[in-house]
Amino acid sequence: MKILLKAVQIYHPGSEFHLQRQNILIDAGTITYIGTDHQDADQTLDLDGLCVSSGWVDMYATVGEPGLEYKEDLESLAAAAAAGGFTDVLCLPNVEPVVQSKGAVSYLRSRSAGLPVTLLPAGAVTVDTQGKDLTEMIDLQRAGAVAFTDGHKPVQGADVMVKALQYLQLFDGLLMNRPEHARLTEYGQMHEGQTSTRLGLKGIPALAEEVMVTRDLQLLAYTGGRLHFSLISSAGSVEAIRKAKAEGLQVTCDVASYQMAYTDDTMAAFDTNYKVAPPFRRAEDVAAIKQGLQDGTIDAVVSAHQPQDTESKKLEFDLAEFGIINLETAFAVAHTALAGALPLETLIEKFTIAPRNILHLPIPDIATGEQACLTLFHPQLRWTPTQEATKSRSKNSPFLGQELTGKVVGIINKGQLVLNHSF
């Protein structure tokens, strides 16, 4: 089938058509024409203001399959990802059983082969993500794991971090870690500050993140290798990573798109859909994150998609699980929160080029003869997410019913067209 994208603005720094409006013809999944001439097609996508970039990559998402399919299975994850503009999603190893064998990696890769979204396996760093014995990471890498992390369970032992960083250098592997000192966050419910004191909730101090960032950077300086921090949330962390980059360490980091949307004051309503880890922090931290995105300290923006079933969220606040779904809203939330603070071109780079560079994935080109791996989006469209339209099996989102600016129109990937917008 021939698909024509009519007068779309191209966001792709490597293309000669970057920031230009062009017609793009795609025939059987391959880009066959880019220019201003009229082209015949079986389907024409014509929407004033429509933009296109190479396919977006999410570096931090939770899928329930196997073991927790009632929260999210592979098909629903792929549907949610496509609706959110992602053509590639890194899936955390926190399933049952943990992704720590060649068979588990191969299962994820084979199951996603026919889906419009490529699901990228992340292998566990330690056996059963218990933070003790290292997994056979060389075998996992050969099977197709693109990064290594214990996901929702931050690696606590310095000795384990040192061994993992040294081990991964054998094949230039990437170690991802969410920095959190578990003893400092034990029983914590929200950011530690005036609001937590007023609400009577046990706090999660920014120190718990910052002390681990500082420790891991010192270990990285000692061992060498590549280290990526997931879900940075505090001003102190941003500054520490900024200095480490200036010193030449191979360190990168990301931030959840929703981290810029709220502060800890939001928790006053005791709505468990706002309960995330790391928690929403102070306005000063949000400002530091925006600055980090502007100057390149923060490399990527992620969804931090963590589906939870109703029984895990409809509880007293201190008993409810952490996490929200965000694959479908990641771009819109970031674009809305960063209005006037970050150029759209820079934001798109943090969904496209940056994560691919970090994960050592090829960057799809927007050029004739290339396979189409594209995300279609409209930065000015306003829309309101609803529970009925949500593709995820879980509905734990604080954004349902809230108007957002910037909508994903669809993706074209693996010869498949998935649309969220009627033409």
Side-chain angles (χ1 to χ4, degrees), residues 93-156:
N94 308 98
V95 290
E96 298 177 0
V98 170
V99 179
Q100 57 189 10
S101 67
K102 293 187 292 184
V105 171
S106 299
Y107 172 79
L108 185 60
R109 291 177 63 88
S110 63
R111 283 291 308 277
S112 74
L115 299 173
V117 175
T118 299
L119 304 181
L120 305 167
V125 175
T126 65
V127 175
D128 294 329
T129 63
Q130 292 301 307
K132 297 178 181 179
D133 301 319
L134 295 183
T135 60
E136 297 292 341
M137 288 184 277
I138 290 179
D139 288 345
L140 296 177
Q141 187 266 343
R142 289 174 177 169
V146 300
F148 298 88
T149 176
D150 278 354
H152 302 304
K153 296 183 178 181
V155 177
Q156 298 298 304

Side-chain angles (χ1 to χ4, degrees), residues 83 328 383-392 395 400 407 420:
E328 298 169 67
W383 65 293
T384 301
T386 64
Q387 181 169 315
E388 295 73 24
T390 298
K391 304 296 184 183
S392 174
K395 311 301 177 186
L400 298 180
K407 182 174 177 58
N420 297 327

Side-chain angles (χ1 to χ4, degrees), residues 2-286:
K2 291 184 178 181
I3 303 168
L4 177 64
L5 310 180
K6 189 172 181 180
V8 291
Q9 184 163 5
I10 298 172
Y11 283 82
H12 190 66
S15 170
E16 62 179 297
F17 303 108
H18 181 48
L19 300 182
Q20 297 180 24
R21 288 208 171 273
Q22 301 286 335
N23 296 330
I24 301 177
L25 184 66
I26 300 158
D27 188 357
T30 300
I31 300 173
T32 58
Y33 175 83
I34 302 177
T36 57
D37 294 339
H38 173 74
Q39 299 290 313
D40 293 325
D42 301 305
Q43 184 172 1
T44 298
L45 308 185
D46 185 3
L47 177 64
D48 187 36
L50 186 62
C51 301
V52 65
S53 71
S54 59
W56 297 352
V57 180
D58 185 35
M59 292 184 62
Y60 198 95
T62 306
V63 61
E65 186 177 348
L68 301 168
E69 289 90 346
Y70 60 93
K71 295 188 178 185
E72 196 84 281
D73 58 33
L74 297 182
E75 285 75 13
S76 64
L77 182 85
F86 295 103
T87 58
D88 301 78
V89 176
L90 184 72
C91 297
L92 300 182
N94 308 98
V95 290
E96 298 177 0
V98 170
V99 179
Q100 57 189 10
S101 67
K102 293 187 292 184
V105 171
S106 299
Y107 172 79
L108 185 60
R109 291 177 63 88
S110 63
R111 283 291 308 277
S112 74
L115 299 173
V117 175
T118 299
L119 304 181
L120 305 167
V125 175
T126 65
V127 175
D128 294 329
T129 63
Q130 292 301 307
K132 297 178 181 179
D133 301 319
L134 295 183
T135 60
E136 297 292 341
M137 288 184 277
I138 290 179
D139 288 345
L140 296 177
Q141 187 266 343
R142 289 174 177 169
V146 300
F148 298 88
T149 176
D150 278 354
H152 302 304
K153 296 183 178 181
V155 177
Q156 298 298 304
D159 58 330
V160 177
M161 286 292 293
V162 166
K163 292 175 183 176
L165 284 166
Q166 291 173 332
Y167 190 99
L168 287 169
Q169 289 179 61
L170 296 173
F171 53 89
D172 195 26
L174 177 69
L175 177 60
M176 299 173 61
N177 195 33
R178 184 169 73 81
E180 177 188 292
H181 195 296
R183 295 300 295 273
L184 292 175
T185 63
E186 195 170 18
Y187 305 118
Q189 302 297 317
M190 62 172 293
H191 173 70
E192 181 183 84
Q194 293 182 359
T195 303
S196 65
T197 301
R198 186 173 68 252
L199 298 178
L201 291 173
K202 177 73 165 60
I204 299 174
L207 176 67
E209 176 178 303
E210 294 163 359
V211 71
M212 295 298 272
V213 167
T214 300
R215 182 205 72 171
D216 288 356
L217 289 173
Q218 290 177 325
L219 298 179
L220 180 65
Y222 173 74
T223 62
R226 295 197 299 134
L227 176 63
H228 179 87
F229 290 113
S230 299
L231 310 189
I232 291 300
S233 69
S234 81
S237 297
V238 174
E239 182 58 27
I241 295 169
R242 181 180 289 116
K243 291 180 179 178
K245 287 190 171 188
E247 293 169 0
L249 294 182
Q250 291 191 79
V251 58
T252 53
C253 66
D254 63 53
V255 64
S257 73
Y258 56 68
Q259 199 68 49
M260 299 161 280
Y262 301 112
T263 65
D264 59 333
D265 289 336
T266 308
M267 310 308 293
F270 287 96
D271 186 342
T272 59
N273 281 326
Y274 293 90
K275 185 178 179 180
V276 293
F280 298 121
R281 299 201 185 274
R282 307 167 303 159
E284 296 91 327
D285 295 303
V286 174

